[in-house]
Amino acid sequence: SSGLQVPISPATLVAGTLGAVRVEQRLPNGSIDTSANGVLSITSPTGPGAIQLFDANGNPVSSVSLVNGVANFQIRLTAAGPYSIQVSTTGSVNPTGFTTNVTAAAAASVNLFPDTGDVTAPGTQTFTLSFSDEFSNPTNYTGTATISYSGAAVAPSSPASATINTAAGQNSFTVTTQATGTVNVSVSLPRPAGAPAGGPLTDTSVL
């Protein structure tokens, strides 16, 4: 068939990674139209985020063009979700496109909820952990949370650790207060493989 075609595109991408794309302008006989040159319009009107463009070597660029009927480049998407990406040129016949689904990257931060609580001692408070990647996409986490306390005493039954597997719904623990006063509840979890360099994932709530 004639017109623009996309023989290579990423069906899925992890947020922040690069995916290779190849666009070709074809003649009615199916061969590449080597006379086709021009800037490509690459848009995703309904996608959850912006499209970042890179050349085939991974260098950021502001635009990509057909050269002798072919364009090889890469895209980077940071917001998780489905993208329907449209590709066209000025006056092109049969504009084309492709779909890409972006999944969240490894956890880069943890949020301990609630941030604050008002529990009359003795009393209990259940905390829930949620995680986000470096682009603020919600993501899963599997590992062990180390839990520490400072301030007013908590009951011996309050856990010192918790097994976390958010995909399986294991993401909470319950603290029992024992004495009147403010309690700082802190969690620390190993930074997962694939996350940006840094120390453990940490957060603190106050009861």
Side-chain angles (χ1 to χ4, degrees):
S1 62
S2 62
L4 284 174
Q5 297 182 19
V6 184
I8 298 174
S9 64
T12 60
L13 280 176
V14 174
T17 61
L18 297 177
V21 180
R22 179 180 173 91
V23 178
E24 300 172 347
Q25 179 76 45
R26 293 277 176 172
L27 294 168
N29 65 7
S31 63
I32 292 176
D33 182 359
T34 57
S35 69
N37 298 283
V39 176
L40 290 171
S41 172
I42 303 167
T43 61
S44 181
T46 60
I51 303 171
Q52 300 171 358
L53 300 175
F54 294 76
D55 66 20
N57 295 317
N59 301 305
V61 294
S62 59
S63 64
V64 294
S65 298
L66 287 172
V67 178
N68 298 329
V70 175
N72 289 297
F73 59 97
Q74 299 183 81
I75 60 171
R76 181 177 185 260
L77 307 166
T78 58
Y83 290 75
S84 180
I85 297 175
Q86 300 175 3
V87 181
S88 63
T89 61
T90 301
S92 64
V93 178
N94 299 330
T96 188
F98 59 94
T99 59
T100 297
N101 187 60
V102 177
T103 58
S109 64
V110 59
N111 179 65
L112 188 60
F113 180 85
D115 295 330
T116 60
D118 186 10
V119 178
T120 301
T124 61
Q125 175 68 62
T126 297
F127 291 93
T128 300
L129 285 74
S130 60
F131 298 84
S132 299
D133 67 13
E134 62 182 300
F135 309 108
S136 300
N137 298 305
T139 193
N140 284 322
Y141 182 93
T142 300
T144 299
T146 298
I147 307 165
S148 59
Y149 310 95
S150 63
V154 297
S157 60
S158 297
S161 65
T163 298
I164 304 299
N165 184 344
T166 55
Q170 295 177 281
N171 65 331
S172 63
F173 62 90
T174 299
V175 174
T176 301
T177 60
Q178 183 169 275
T180 301
T182 298
V183 181
N184 299 303
V185 181
S186 299
V187 293
S188 177
L189 304 99
R191 183 171 292 266
L201 310 184
T202 62
D203 198 15
T204 299
S205 293
V206 180
L207 287 179

